């Protein structure tokens, strides 16, 4: 792949744009991972590390003689070291504590890769899906144990240096000099700062406590405790939930909460509230949650569901500088909606159980009896602010103090990022792991492994490149897809060897599942459909060719909305139209229709431009296309769309040949929505063109009662012996007179153009003869109508 395409899909220009997010021009080769970003999660830091190292590689800035220092052995530091090691770069990790991932070790806090993206698609997916050092939703302690073991097992050369606090980083002509503890300066070509963000700020006698503390958030020592949480970021809201809910477990409570209301209703309500607040320019989300979210919580009984889960002996005060529990961008939306719902449940028990305070907390003073007094804040709405048994301060870490040893370099980088926000606003968004970066590092690490891992990983990459995963997204309730190819392109384009893997039971997907089976079947084997063995029986009721696949290949592809059942049906209709067009093109060239036999050249010549007109009108009107093709394919009383099988193409294209040829004699014959069981318009009437073989289980040739039809003209490529019985007389090809029973309204036998020996012979005659025969058939119908009307006088 050349520079124009970049390395694995990342161009040099892309890489340079990314590097500016991590490096200030004033300090080249000094990189910061997440230090100036707002939304920091463990997973996001890992993705940033991969993004940085990939960009350095694409720009050619990793040299054989590099020695890179990674300051910090947390999630970002280990991932950066692993990525450098996969590329063969000499790397050392300088960790101030005595172990890797020391903040997460022992912590029972929830570690989740994407939950902070809720209610976006994929926010509740458990797997991080990283090329290495991957993990799934679990406690921070469990994740740290697994990741530490995984890092140690990587086939890379990396020097881990615990108990190595960095105290200075200085530029010395052509290199960086890093001072560790009391040691001498050490030379490095590049330095990556992944040192975290420091300890939480304390306030008076309310001591700072690490969010990841092994003991979890503090618990009050007394019953009927009055607790203050100051701060409405993710840490503050999580601590509020911990104190409010009995036996709180972040993972299980989140799952229970999201199952207490329909996912789609809740996620859409939060989106509406956010949009309304943004449009109004409001920072405070509360009035918009009251308008959009609370009705959903009430409708699904969420408040009543939460009440038994509340601590019965605690009251909470949450302090926010502006007096609002939830503000735009202050915390993850899932934490905000859970905190909002819990506040409503507590208030329903008693107004004093949950209160809001406003103002800047200046200090916390000790009072008699071990209680604490908050200074600088007051209750929203007024009233006396009593002393507290427990005060938790979540005002965030002091990043500048934590990185003071950089002697102004961190502040310079902050200024650089502030300026960058005007030219690269995407830099402020959470990072997204691209397929290009995932594949690049998976291949790089795989190539360092012993056999058979490289071959196995190559097979997995090949599978991943041709696989589309379909699942019901738990965060939103919508059907989502993810893969290197979209479902729409897989069905619509001439791509082969693709697999659609659908996760979940067929009934879960409703009409979408039915449409999906039709869509894959319509590709004539270009695309296969698989599902886990446990769901196979249900899917095979929709299509017997569905195959088993235990699990899809892992990959980084972000989920996107799959087409709806209606959109998928429209896509299938377009595909059928294309297949019929191809069949007609072959017919124009060969002069022979497989269903109808030879057609005279003068007829074929006039049919082609007529087909172009029809095709254009059908393509421009999906609803009309659906109606026309629906009757072309099937005439059952309970209509159902084309099942995707291509076995029917000969008879459907044969019906189109008859329909087009008939329109040459009757130019008013056009595809149309007629309001009747017909798909062609006629002057003052309607016609039906179809290749259906039966109606309600009866062969077309047996449907000889005119009352079974709702069209004035039938054009049927599967009718060979059909003849109508009406009023005691037999109506054959051209029709004869009859005597209907007086006083009993009956439908007149329609004009009939069919696949009989006589009509096939007429197609072999010149155009003028064909036109005369079709018009004669139509006129015979008019004669029958007139006779019937006279008989009723």
């Amino acid at each position: 792949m050349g520079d124009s395409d970049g390395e694995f899909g990342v161009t040099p220009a892309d890489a340079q744009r990314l590097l500016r997010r991590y490096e200030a021009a004033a300090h080249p080769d000094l990189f910061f991972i997440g230090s100036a970003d707002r939304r920091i999660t463990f997973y996001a830091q890992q993705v940033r590390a991969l993004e940085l190292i990939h960009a350095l590689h694409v720009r050619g800035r990793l040299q054989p003689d590099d020695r890179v220092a990674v300051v910090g052995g947390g999630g970002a530091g280990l991932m950066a070291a692993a990525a450098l090691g996969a590329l063969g770069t000499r790397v050392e990790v300088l960790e101030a504590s005595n172990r890797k991932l020391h903040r997460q070790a022992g912590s029972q806090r929830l570690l989740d890769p994407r939950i902070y993206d809720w209610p976006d698609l994929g926010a509740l997916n458990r797997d991080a899906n990283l090329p290495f050092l991957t993990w799934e939703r679990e406690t921070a302690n469990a994740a740290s144990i697994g990741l530490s073991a995984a890092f140690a097992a990587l086939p890379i050369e990396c020097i881990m240096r615990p108990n190595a606090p960095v105290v200075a980083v200085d530029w010395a002509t052509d290199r960086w000099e890093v001072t560790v503890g009391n040691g001498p300066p050490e030379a490095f070509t590049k330095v990556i700062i992944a040192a975290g963000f420091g300890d939480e700020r304390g306030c008076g006698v309310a001591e700072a406590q690490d969010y990841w503390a092994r003991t979890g958030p503090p618990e009050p020592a007394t019953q009927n405790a009055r607790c203050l949480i100051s701060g409405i970021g993710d840490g503050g809201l999580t601590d509020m939930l911990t104190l409010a809910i009995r036996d709180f477990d972040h993972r299980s409570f989140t799952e229970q909460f999201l199952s207490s209301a329909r996912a789609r209703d809740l996620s859409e309500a939060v989106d509406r509230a956010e949009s309304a607040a943004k449009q109004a320019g409001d920072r405070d989300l509360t009035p918009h949650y009251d308008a959009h979210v609370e009705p959903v919580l009430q409708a699904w009984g969420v408040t009543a569901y939460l009440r038994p889960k509340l601590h019965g002996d605690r009251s909470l005060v949450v302090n926010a500088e502006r007096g609002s529990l939830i503000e735009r961008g202050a915390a993850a939306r899932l934490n905000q909606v859970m905190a909002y719902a819990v506040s409503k449940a507590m208030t329903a028990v008693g107004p004093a159980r949950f209160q809001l305070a406003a103002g800047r907390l200046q200090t916390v003073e000790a009072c008699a009896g071990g209680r604490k007094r908050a200074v600088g804040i007051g209750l929203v709405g007024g009233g006396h602010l009593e002393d507290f048994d427990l005060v938790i301060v979540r005002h965030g870490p002091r990043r500048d103090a934590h990185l003071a040893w950089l002697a102004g370099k961190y502040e310079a980088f902050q200024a650089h990022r502030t300026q960058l926000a005007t030219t690269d606003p995407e830099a402020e968004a959470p990072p997204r792991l691209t397929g290009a970066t995932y594949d690049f590092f998976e291949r790089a690490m795989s190539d360092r492994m012993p056999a058979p891992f490289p071959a196995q990983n190559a097979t997995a990459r090949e599978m991943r490149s041709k696989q589309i995963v379909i699942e019901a997204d738990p965060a939103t309730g919508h059907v989502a897809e993810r893969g290197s190819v979209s479902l729409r392109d897989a069905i619509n384009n001439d791509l082969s060897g693709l697999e659609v893997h659908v996760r979940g039971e067929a009934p879960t997907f409703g009409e979408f599942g039915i449409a999906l089976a039709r869509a894959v079947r319509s590709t004539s084997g270009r695309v296969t459909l698989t599902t886990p063995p446990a769901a196979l029986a249900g899917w095979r009721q929709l299509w017997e060719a569905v195959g088993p696949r235990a699990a899809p290949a892992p990959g980084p592809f972000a989920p996107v909305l799959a087409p709806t059942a209606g959109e998928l049906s429209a896509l299938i209709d377009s595909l059928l139209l294309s297949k019929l067009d191809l069949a007609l093109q072959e017919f124009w060239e060969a002069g022979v229709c497989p269903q109808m036999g030879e057609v005279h050249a003068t007829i074929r010549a006039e049919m082609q431009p007529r087909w172009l007109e029809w095709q254009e009108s059908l393509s421009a009107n999906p609803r009309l296309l659906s109606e026309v093709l629906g009757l072309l394919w099937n005439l059952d009383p309970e209509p159902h769309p084309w099942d995707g099988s291509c076995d029917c193409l000969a008879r459907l294209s044969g019906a189109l040949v008859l329909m087009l040829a008939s329109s040459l004699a009757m130019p008013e014959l056009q595809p149309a929505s007629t309001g009747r069981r017909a798909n062609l318009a006629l002057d003052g009437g309607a016609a039906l063109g179809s290749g259906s073989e039966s109606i309600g289980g009866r062969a077309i040739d047996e449907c000889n009662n005119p009352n079974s039809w709702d069209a004035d003209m039938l054009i049927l490529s599967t009718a060979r012996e059909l003849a109508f019985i009406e009023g005691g007389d037999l109506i054959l090809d051209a029709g004869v007179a009859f005597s209907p029973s007086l006083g009993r309204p009956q439908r007149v036998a329609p004009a009939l153009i069919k696949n009989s020996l006589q009509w096939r012979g007429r197609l072999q005659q010149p155009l003028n003869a064909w036109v005369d025969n079709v018009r004669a058939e139509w006129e015979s119908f008019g004669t029958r109508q007139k006779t019937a009307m006279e008989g009723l006088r």
Side-chain angles (χ1 to χ4, degrees):
M1 184 175 294
D3 280 350
S4 61
D5 293 325
E7 181 100 25
F8 283 87
V10 177
T11 67
D14 291 335
Q16 184 60 33
R17 175 176 53 82
L18 292 173
L19 285 177
R20 282 194 286 267
R21 300 176 183 179
Y22 299 96
E23 175 188 41
H27 300 111
D29 291 324
L30 177 64
F31 306 96
F32 293 83
I33 299 180
S35 301
D37 291 284
R38 291 182 58 200
R39 179 56 55 79
I40 303 298
T41 68
F42 192 92
Y43 169 77
Q45 286 291 84
Q46 289 182 293
V47 173
R48 289 185 178 102
L50 289 171
E51 186 176 77
L52 167 61
I53 307 307
H54 194 188
L56 286 171
H57 173 80
V58 171
R59 293 295 299 181
R61 290 183 57 182
L62 294 176
Q63 301 301 318
D65 60 352
D66 269 336
R67 181 191 183 198
V68 181
V70 175
V71 182
L78 293 186
M79 184 60 87
L84 288 166
L87 300 180
T89 301
R90 183 183 175 191
V91 58
E92 299 180 25
V93 178
L94 310 177
E95 170 54 49
S97 73
N98 63 357
R99 60 174 298 170
K100 302 185 288 289
L101 299 165
H102 74 99
R103 288 197 180 275
Q104 287 75 31
S107 175
Q108 296 306 304
R109 293 280 195 181
L110 176 68
L111 202 62
D112 189 289
R114 296 180 179 84
I115 201 167
Y116 292 110
D117 294 332
W118 186 90
D120 294 346
L121 286 171
L124 298 184
N125 289 349
R126 300 177 60 92
D127 299 324
N129 277 334
L130 298 165
F132 38 77
L133 298 185
T134 193
W135 48 283
E136 65 176 28
R137 182 190 309 155
E138 53 194 339
T139 65
N141 180 58
S144 71
I145 293 172
L147 289 171
S148 293
F151 184 83
L154 290 175
I156 62 172
E157 295 182 12
C158 173
I159 298 176
M160 285 296 307
R161 295 173 59 180
N163 301 308
V166 176
V167 297
V169 175
D170 299 298
W171 181 252
T173 308
D174 61 351
R175 65 184 183 274
W176 285 102
E177 291 189 343
V178 178
T179 303
V180 178
N182 296 322
E186 301 181 42
F188 291 89
T189 56
K190 294 175 176 62
V191 178
I192 297 174
I193 306 299
F197 310 98
D199 296 323
E200 293 275 354
R201 302 172 185 176
C203 190
V205 298
E207 296 180 0
Q209 185 192 41
D210 184 6
Y211 176 81
W212 299 104
R214 293 188 178 205
T215 57
E219 286 284 328
T222 61
Q223 291 187 340
N224 299 315
R226 183 169 170 80
C227 308
L228 170 68
I229 303 104
S230 185
I232 56 169
D234 289 309
L237 296 185
T238 301
D239 286 345
M240 171 197 154
L241 296 172
T242 303
L243 292 172
I245 301 297
R246 288 183 292 104
D247 302 320
F248 178 77
D249 176 83
H250 204 162
R251 176 170 58 184
S252 61
F253 178 78
T254 299
E255 292 170 349
Q256 292 167 12
F257 176 80
L258 290 174
S259 66
S260 65
R262 189 161 59 190
R264 181 177 303 182
D265 291 357
L266 188 59
S267 63
E268 290 177 354
V270 170
D271 278 338
R272 288 194 301 270
E274 290 271 355
S275 298
K278 185 176 182 179
Q279 186 173 6
D282 293 342
R283 194 171 196 168
D284 184 5
L285 285 168
T286 306
H288 304 287
Y289 265 54
D290 290 344
H292 299 286
V293 177
E294 186 173 18
V296 173
L297 299 178
Q298 294 296 335
W300 289 100
V302 176
T303 303
Y305 169 79
L306 291 174
R307 286 179 63 175
K309 299 180 179 295
L310 299 174
H311 267 294
D313 62 346
R314 292 179 185 174
S315 60
L316 303 184
V317 175
V318 174
N319 175 63
E321 191 171 338
R322 285 170 289 274
S324 171
L325 178 65
I326 47 177
E327 293 184 356
R328 275 198 302 136
R333 288 174 290 180
L334 182 54
N335 280 338
Q336 288 183 327
V337 73
M338 290 194 297
Y340 175 83
V342 168
S343 74
K344 292 295 182 182
M346 294 185 74
T347 304
V349 173
R353 291 290 306 279
F354 179 85
Q355 294 174 294
L356 284 170
R360 184 183 294 273
L361 183 64
Q362 298 172 3
T363 190
V364 178
E365 300 174 344
C367 302
R371 305 195 89 192
K372 298 176 176 65
R373 180 169 299 152
V375 179
I377 65 174
L379 290 175
V380 173
H384 175 63
L385 184 65
E386 298 178 6
D387 296 335
F388 296 95
D389 299 290
L390 174 67
V391 175
I392 299 177
V393 178
R394 292 294 183 201
H395 294 172
R398 293 188 58 186
R399 300 187 188 189
D400 51 352
H402 179 62
L403 299 176
W405 47 271
L406 282 167
K409 299 177 186 66
Y410 169 62
E411 288 77 9
F413 179 71
Q414 276 188 311
H416 161 73
R417 280 295 302 266
T418 300
Q419 184 178 12
L420 184 66
T422 61
T423 57
D424 182 16
E426 291 184 9
E428 301 300 304
R432 299 290 181 183
L433 179 60
T434 65
T437 296
Y438 184 101
D439 284 346
F440 173 73
F441 281 113
E442 185 194 54
R443 188 185 301 251
M445 189 66 78
S446 174
D447 289 345
R448 304 181 68 84
M449 294 179 176
F453 291 105
Q456 291 174 348
N457 288 339
T459 300
R461 282 195 299 273
E462 177 69 15
M463 180 189 299
R464 184 170 64 243
S465 71
K466 295 185 175 183
Q467 194 171 65
I468 303 164
V469 179
I470 304 290
E471 57 195 341
D473 181 62
T476 63
H478 295 293
V479 178
E481 63 170 281
R482 50 187 173 88
S484 61
V485 179
S486 72
L487 179 61
R488 189 180 298 272
D489 285 344
I491 302 303
N492 212 27
N493 296 339
D494 192 21
L495 302 173
S496 60
L498 301 180
E499 174 190 346
V500 175
H501 180 79
V502 57
R503 304 174 79 171
E505 299 286 346
T508 303
F509 294 89
E511 291 296 321
F512 175 86
I514 298 171
L516 178 64
R518 292 172 50 221
V520 175
R521 187 176 186 181
S522 72
T523 65
S524 304
R526 288 191 298 104
V527 182
T528 59
L529 184 61
T530 65
T531 193
L536 190 60
W539 282 100
R540 282 188 170 170
Q541 290 182 12
L542 300 180
W543 185 31
E544 66 279 359
V546 179
R549 166 87 66 188
F557 307 112
V560 297
L561 283 176
T564 65
E567 291 169 341
L568 206 51
S569 292
L571 184 65
I572 298 167
D573 288 338
S574 295
L575 183 62
L576 177 55
L577 185 65
S578 298
K579 290 179 178 291
L580 291 172
D581 177 61
L582 182 61
L584 289 176
Q585 299 303 324
E586 293 173 353
F587 161 63
W588 310 139
E589 184 174 346
V592 177
C593 171
Q595 185 80 358
M596 300 304 304
E598 184 179 350
V599 178
H600 197 276
T602 57
I603 300 177
R604 296 200 315 273
E606 295 298 322
M607 288 168 64
Q608 286 181 270
R610 182 60 54 89
W611 169 239
L612 292 176
E613 295 174 9
W614 285 20
Q615 191 178 21
E616 183 177 355
S617 67
L618 291 170
S619 298
N621 190 335
R623 182 175 178 179
L624 175 62
L625 177 62
S626 176
E627 293 180 11
V628 170
L629 293 183
L631 292 173
L632 183 72
W633 145 257
N634 183 269
L635 295 177
D636 286 340
E638 291 295 329
H640 53 272
W642 177 48
D643 65 1
S645 170
C646 294
D647 297 341
C648 64
L649 289 179
R651 52 188 172 85
L652 300 192
S653 59
L656 276 177
V657 167
L658 272 183
M659 293 157 68
L660 288 164
S662 300
S663 73
L664 301 180
M666 308 176 68
E668 69 276 15
L669 196 69
Q670 296 282 343
S673 298
T674 64
R676 296 164 62 177
R677 195 161 174 73
N679 53 8
L680 297 167
L682 275 171
D683 280 349
L688 171 65
S690 182
S692 178
E693 295 179 303
S694 62
I695 301 178
R698 295 181 63 199
I700 286 292
D701 281 341
E702 297 175 5
C703 300
N704 57 2
N705 185 345
N707 291 316
S708 301
W709 303 89
D710 189 24
D712 305 307
M713 172 180 277
L714 302 179
I715 306 171
L716 306 174
S717 65
T718 55
R720 288 178 171 81
E721 306 297 332
L722 177 61
F724 291 109
I725 302 271
E726 185 173 12
D729 294 322
L730 187 65
I731 309 297
L732 297 174
D733 269 352
V736 298
F738 66 95
S739 302
S741 301
L742 294 177
R744 183 183 175 187
Q746 292 192 20
R747 184 176 296 279
V748 172
L752 177 61
I753 299 173
K754 59 184 181 179
N755 189 5
S756 64
L757 184 62
Q758 184 179 31
W759 280 102
R760 288 165 67 97
R762 289 169 175 171
L763 280 172
Q764 297 175 24
Q765 298 175 5
L767 176 62
N768 57 350
W770 168 260
V771 167
D772 290 342
N773 284 307
V774 172
R775 288 177 177 171
E777 177 66 19
W778 179 243
E779 289 167 1
S780 295
F781 167 73
T783 300
R784 290 194 293 275
Q785 275 192 318
K786 182 178 179 181
T787 302
M789 293 300 295
E790 290 175 349
L792 292 174
R793 292 175 183 171

